[in-house]
Amino acid sequence: NNDNDMEYEVLFWKICDKMITLALSFMQGKAGTWARPHLEQLANHQPVFNNSWSEFEEAFMEKFEPTNATEHAKSMLQQVKQGDRTFATYKAEFEQWAPRTGWSDADLFDRIKQGMNADYLDRMSYFQPSAKTYDEVKNYGTAIDTAISDRNRNLAIAAGKAPPVPKSKTTT
């Protein structure tokens, strides 16, 4: 049984070493600069972070995570605006930050509406009596995207033009 424990420990050590090496090797920019000395240690067969994924993660977060991640997420979410983007694109960016704020669904409901453009808010007013939750606003925003896309496609077809190609979710 001792031999099995030792084999497991060696295997686990090798896996952690590979995971850390892989993570470090993909880092770019400031993270790449931070990773370089650790990669040099690995190249010289010296362990880094005691071959512990949790120690690696802790060191990385200490270096790169904002001092107060929740406040940072709140600040970023306050800056997210729909502008002339589709609701789907706006919602995708919004939802990158929303879970990190710790805000209630009621707070997120208010915030997502504050960032919507006037056209969507006008259209949303049609649904207003029934849109009382964050999820309902997201669903109605998506429905508005679909209605606008369908209308634009039908107008193009009626005018004898090729239907417009929808913007990808990464297009702003």
Side-chain angles (χ1 to χ4, degrees):
N1 205 11
N2 246 354
D3 287 340
N4 285 343
D5 288 346
M6 190 176 235
E7 286 178 32
Y8 174 77
E9 214 173 289
V10 168
L11 179 61
F12 185 75
W13 188 84
K14 287 180 180 180
I15 290 171
C16 285
D17 181 60
K18 297 287 184 209
M19 288 173 36
I20 292 168
T21 302
L22 184 64
L24 290 169
S25 68
F26 278 100
M27 292 183 182
Q28 298 178 355
K30 290 180 182 179
T33 302
W34 176 81
R36 194 166 297 117
H38 302 296
L39 286 168
E40 289 172 7
Q41 278 183 264
L42 287 166
N44 293 324
H45 306 289
Q46 298 170 351
V48 294
F49 309 107
N50 294 319
N51 269 357
S52 164
W53 180 260
S54 60
E55 284 189 33
F56 162 73
E57 189 174 27
E58 185 179 315
F60 181 82
M61 296 306 262
E62 184 178 303
K63 179 72 176 171
F64 294 103
E65 186 176 51
T67 43
N68 188 331
T70 300
E71 290 305 314
H72 178 70
K74 288 176 182 179
S75 172
M76 295 303 293
L77 196 59
Q78 293 288 349
Q79 297 173 39
V80 176
K81 306 278 189 245
Q82 182 179 4
D84 63 356
R85 302 184 291 172
T86 64
F87 184 79
T89 304
Y90 166 59
K91 181 177 81 168
E93 183 180 1
F94 189 91
E95 289 186 336
Q96 287 178 17
W97 300 108
R100 301 177 197 172
T101 63
W103 286 347
S104 69
D105 278 359
D107 292 331
L108 293 172
F109 169 81
D110 291 338
R111 180 62 210 119
I112 198 167
K113 285 176 34 186
Q114 288 171 4
M116 290 171 71
N117 71 32
D119 183 43
Y120 274 69
L121 283 173
D122 289 344
R123 292 169 190 259
M124 185 70 70
S125 67
Y126 173 79
F127 298 109
Q128 191 58 40
S130 57
K132 297 192 185 320
T133 69
Y134 174 52
D135 285 336
E136 288 172 343
V137 169
K138 292 189 299 182
N139 290 337
Y140 291 139
T142 302
I144 292 169
D145 269 355
T146 302
I148 291 171
S149 177
D150 289 349
R151 185 195 72 213
N152 290 343
R153 183 175 36 78
N154 291 336
L155 287 172
I157 291 170
K161 298 179 183 174
V165 177
K167 291 182 182 177
S168 75
K169 291 187 179 193
T170 57
T171 304
T172 56

